[in-house]
Amino acid sequence: MSSTSSSPPVQLKSRIGAILRATSGNFLEQFDFFLFGFYARYIAQAFFPSHDETAALLHTFGVFWLGALMRPVGAIVLGAYIDRIGRRKGLIVTLSIMAIGTVTIAFCPTYATIGVAAPTIVLIGRLLQGFSAGVELGGVSVYLSEIATPGNRGFYTSFQSSSQQVAIFVASIIGFALSELIPAETVAAWGWRIPFFIGCLIIPVIFFLRRTLEETPEFLAMKHHPTTREVFASAAANWRIIVLGMMIAVLTTTTFYFVTVYTPTFGRTVLKLTTRDALLVTLLVAVTNFIWNPVGGALSDRIGRRPVLTGIAILSLLTAYPALHWLVEAPSFSKMLAVEMMFSFYFGVYSGTMLGALVEIVPKHVRTTCFSMAFALAAGLFGTFTPFAATLLIEHTHDKASPAYWLMCAAVLGIIAALTVFRGGEQAAKDRALAG
């Protein structure tokens, strides 16, 4: 009797532990990505010196984006490895590569010390991070979907994105503490490296967590694990669903990088708010992102993926520019917080739904590769390009609300893709994926 009564709590504890171990690598990825965006001004001064602040920022965000262009390469190469070897081993490999990139950036000397070698080393570090990140999200999402209980796939996969918000929250707390405890001149000179060093110290803990992962029962039950050549051939044959999956994911990636990575720079350099205000907004956004992701996943489990995806995308399309225009007309902390909370709601609910949808529409036997390719293309071509695009739009249009155009384009792509993929119903989309 006691054994039976204790079984559900034991199973729940085991599943929570598996979620924490699987998503730990996402923490490191987003922790470092956010820091790169938040300290972009200081990184620009250290590695890309220029008399023009906008030009220096564009160089920095350009390197940020170039690293993201390695995501599709990592998605296909590491995705094939995970689909062939297994989820557990693949996630350990991606973490190893990501750790090397993090350490490289944290300890790289400045341009003043080693000249042009400095930006080159930073670029290499970003390329390594982008290569590993290409499959990190897909590998974790697939892992969570394969350990999910029936009818709760959206809810389980949503914690992939929620884990990233924890990283943003922790990074914001560290940044806030530094801004309060250390003079601004010291932060600009070398203090910005401290959070990166902290990230390096976290790496051994994440390695320990990842090594204790168990392989998913669904992967173990597969009678045939495709070879690398078979994975590549199948991914090529399913290029259409990869492109549609990319279009669905674009709104997630652009909104995420806007409300997290770009927000601190937008608050300081465009709205002329204080560093403290920009950090506090970002911190609160991380909290609400964490909450809305599982809400979106659970909601889509109950009413379906398509209604949530199209509903949020339409709201984003209609409100992005009016909201930003209202903000930039008379910037204030309270107005920035209100607008960011709106975008946080859009991102969280949409992302929590999108992850489950993307897992379900890609072919099962190459699930990691196709999922990762779709998301990597969305992040590489659109998401991580957001800070650069926003800076460029403001520079050329002289309209501080113009980044909204970028978000509106993403919303249009999401609407078109969701209506196309789920035509005839969600079960039909799942059947087509299984047939593929």
Side-chain angles (χ1 to χ4, degrees):
M1 177 70 71
S2 61
S3 173
T4 304
S5 62
S6 65
S7 179
V10 170
Q11 290 181 358
L12 178 62
K13 183 178 179 180
S14 174
R15 290 182 183 277
I16 292 174
I19 291 172
L20 291 174
R21 290 191 294 272
T23 57
S24 58
N26 286 306
F27 179 94
L28 179 63
E29 175 195 344
Q30 287 306 320
F31 184 81
D32 198 65
F33 271 41
F34 170 76
L35 291 176
F36 199 95
F38 179 72
Y39 289 111
R41 182 174 57 175
Y42 304 136
I43 292 173
Q45 294 170 359
F47 302 115
F48 307 96
S50 173
H51 297 298
D52 184 345
E53 182 181 3
T54 299
L57 273 175
L58 287 174
H59 281 125
T60 305
F61 285 137
V63 168
F64 185 81
W65 179 56
L66 286 173
L69 291 183
M70 284 296 290
R71 282 178 178 250
V73 181
I76 190 70
V77 174
L78 296 176
Y81 179 80
I82 292 177
D83 280 328
R84 179 171 60 88
I85 298 298
R87 317 308 188 202
R88 177 185 177 275
K89 291 182 179 178
L91 289 175
I92 293 174
V93 170
T94 62
L95 178 60
S96 303
I97 299 171
M98 191 184 308
I100 295 172
T102 298
V103 172
T104 299
I105 294 174
F107 289 92
C108 180
T110 64
Y111 185 94
T113 304
I114 60 173
V116 72
T120 303
I121 292 172
V122 170
L123 176 59
I124 292 172
R126 286 289 302 124
L127 293 177
L128 288 172
Q129 288 179 327
F131 182 73
S132 63
V135 81
E136 174 68 21
L137 185 145
V140 171
S141 297
V142 168
Y143 186 93
L144 293 176
S145 74
E146 291 181 351
I147 67 170
T149 53
N152 292 302
R153 174 172 279 169
F155 180 70
Y156 269 70
T157 55
S158 70
F159 282 98
Q160 187 284 332
S161 185
S162 287
S163 68
Q164 297 178 337
Q165 313 317 312
V166 176
I168 303 299
F169 180 82
V170 173
S172 299
I173 288 288
I174 295 172
F176 187 82
L178 285 179
S179 67
E180 293 295 304
L181 299 174
I182 300 178
E185 300 78 20
T186 305
V187 173
W190 58 268
W192 62 268
R193 291 184 186 266
I194 294 176
F196 287 93
F197 294 150
I198 294 174
C200 293
L201 294 175
I202 295 173
I203 290 173
V205 178
I206 299 176
F207 261 112
F208 172 78
L209 292 173
R210 273 280 167 92
R211 287 179 64 85
T212 60
L213 271 179
E214 296 181 1
E215 188 54 79
T216 68
E218 189 169 335
F219 180 82
L220 294 174
M222 290 176 62
K223 295 181 179 179
H224 173 67
H225 296 151
T227 65
T228 301
R229 177 174 292 184
E230 289 173 336
V231 171
F232 288 171
S234 185
N238 287 280
W239 66 269
R240 185 172 177 272
I241 196 64
I242 291 175
V243 172
L244 287 170
M246 175 200 73
M247 292 169 63
I248 290 176
V250 163
L251 185 57
T252 290
T253 60
T254 53
T255 307
F256 174 75
Y257 282 100
F258 182 81
V259 300
T260 56
V261 174
Y262 182 64
T263 286
T265 301
F266 184 65
R268 289 194 310 260
T269 63
V270 178
L271 303 181
K272 305 302 180 183
L273 300 178
T274 66
T275 298
R276 181 175 183 173
D277 285 348
L279 263 175
L280 188 55
V281 169
T282 308
L283 191 152
L284 294 172
V285 163
V287 173
T288 53
N289 284 352
F290 180 86
I291 295 170
W292 288 122
N293 264 281
V295 169
L299 181 64
S300 69
D301 284 332
R302 302 298 176 266
I303 70 173
R305 317 293 186 213
R306 186 172 78 166
V308 182
L309 292 175
T310 54
I312 294 296
I314 290 171
L315 280 174
S316 183
L317 175 64
L318 296 177
T319 61
Y321 188 84
L324 281 182
H325 181 71
W326 172 72
L327 170 60
V328 302
E329 273 193 319
S332 69
F333 170 79
S334 59
K335 291 176 70 172
M336 184 180 184
L337 180 61
V339 171
E340 294 293 328
M341 287 295 104
M342 181 191 78
F343 284 125
S344 172
F345 170 76
Y346 293 165
F347 161 74
V349 175
Y350 190 92
S351 177
T353 302
M354 180 278 300
L355 293 168
L358 200 51
V359 168
E360 292 169 345
I361 66 174
V362 296
K364 181 178 179 180
H365 63 293
V366 286
R367 185 176 278 164
T368 306
T369 305
C370 290
F371 183 112
S372 299
M373 278 295 296
F375 196 89
L377 288 169
L381 299 179
F382 296 91
T384 49
F385 190 63
T386 297
F388 187 95
T391 304
L392 208 59
L393 281 168
I394 293 172
E395 178 77 5
H396 285 277
T397 66
H398 304 292
D399 179 1
K400 295 178 180 179
S402 60
Y405 299 138
W406 186 248
L407 301 177
M408 292 166 67
C409 288
V412 170
L413 291 177
I415 294 168
I416 293 172
L419 293 177
T420 303
V421 168
F422 294 111
R423 71 185 188 281
E426 296 190 22
Q427 188 57 49
K430 295 176 185 178
D431 292 340
R432 288 195 297 271
L434 291 174

